Amino acid sequence: MTNNSNGRLSEYFANDPPSFFDELTTSKPKAKEGQQPADKPSSSISSSNMLATTFTGTFQPPEYVETAEAEEPIKVSDDVRNLWQVPTPNEAGGLATHLVMPGIHIANDLPDPISIAVTQQLGEAELQQRQILGVENVTQDERGIRTLINAGCFRAAVNLTGRLLTIYGQGYGRAGQPAKHSPHSMQLWFTRLALLAKLDEYDLLQAEAEPFGQLNGPDVFYEFYPEMYNGKQGSIACFSFRLLLAELPIYLGKPHLALDQLSELHVISNEIKQHYEGLKQATAAEFWQRRAERVLQSIINCALMMKKFSMIDDIMGGMLLSRSSLSKEEQRSLYSAWGRIYLQIGDIFGAEQKFAVSRRLREINSTPDLRDLVDKGLIAVAKNDFPEAYLIFQKALHLDSGNTMILNNMGVCLLYAGKLKDAINLYERAINLNPQKSLNESLLVNLSTLYELESNNSKAKKLNLLRLINRFKPDLTISVEICLKLQATN
């Protein structure tokens, strides 16, 4: 992918890695078309013909920090949901005899980096304005974790998981010590590791995830505890936990390893689907079909990072879109995502073809919706027609006011159209209207960059942003220094 204009500006804008297909999942059917979770950072346009808006955010699907199986709308019994065979020593390369013995790797709570930055940059008096929920302010159980997550207090939620796992005998210093596992303890670990991924705490994530491997140990299956679970069979760990661990190398810059692990997970999921097809259990087969497709979405992310574009075409056309039970809306969202992938690799003609198919699948005589407008706006950007792109994104914003992905794109379009002050005003107005939502990581990076382009004295304006973050944001998923570019020379 080449940058044929304004290439130097690309270094200024956030360019997150491609993320999960948020718009493709059926986990949030009540959301508006194309709408994004408020807590997910959305990528910005990094140059005139390089779009990071193809996807939203980084590798943090929302179901990972909500409920274990939120992405699965089909209701099935526990024996279907948990079906997974205990590997024999040979199948697991001799590892099946190894027990899973995890433990917390930090003696103290995760610190609050916003508080630290405010103290260093603005002083103790400003810190007094920070009022956020802490571990002590919620019930000491899963309900308390959910309360903290819903409030955006992710580090406090991690700290609470640490306290609860300590009760299970899996706290600090307990790694390598035998421990009994239960659905509750495994859910706590899954939540903790998913939150660490969300917070970019990759060193700690890698250390604490390592004992789990790919969840092949015999003690993460019900069969290991016959006296406790009365003959119940299958995996104690939820499927999303297995998916998270398979994806883990992506966070660590090792997509090849992630691709191997995800491919194995897909094969097993497909085998279980075929097992239920053979038993003529259609609902169970559909349940595992959707799990297999969920793994394929992650494989596509790996393929994007590895620039294996023919693999992406094979998966999209040959696997995801070949299912006869796909609704028109599901087909439409897949073609839209496929088009955005083509944009990401610089193939405008290919993207236009996929978007055209997506449009034809829309209900006859219905007006363009959010998906159509965003697709059309991205094409205009790819063609360097920033004034036209701005007008299209403006129409999209009327359908979903406050959508930070659209606001980000509008600001970048104004910049490339030579309207720096208008871009700054757009971002500042969005923050003033809805600081909780608009103090979004990507928007903050972009606005800080615009301040630098506007003036040699950007530090004061950045510190004003820090004051707002202090008052309205419990957590950022990337560091304050990166968000506000405070290490830059002013």
Side-chain angles (χ1 to χ4, degrees), residues 397-419:
L397 195 65
H398 289 313
L399 298 180
D400 186 12
S401 61
N403 183 310
T404 50
M405 178 268 286
I406 296 171
L407 283 164
N408 253 327
N409 291 353
M410 289 172 68
V412 177
C413 287
L414 287 171
L415 173 66
Y416 283 122
K419 298 179 178 180

Side-chain angles (χ1 to χ4, degrees), residues 159-220:
N159 295 336
L160 182 51
T161 63
R163 295 186 183 194
L164 298 177
L165 285 166
T166 299
I167 295 171
Y168 272 103
Q170 297 175 27
Y172 178 67
R174 297 293 297 175
Q177 303 295 316
K180 287 186 177 179
H181 301 292
S182 70
H184 185 240
S185 68
M186 295 300 282
Q187 177 65 31
L188 285 172
W189 272 114
F190 167 63
T191 301
R192 179 180 177 88
L193 297 178
L195 284 166
L196 291 175
K198 185 174 187 67
L199 291 165
D200 287 2
E201 294 282 352
Y202 296 137
D203 289 343
L204 183 57
L205 169 62
Q206 183 178 20
E208 294 191 349
E210 193 272 334
F212 292 99
Q214 295 301 295
L215 290 168
N216 284 331
D219 54 338
V220 295

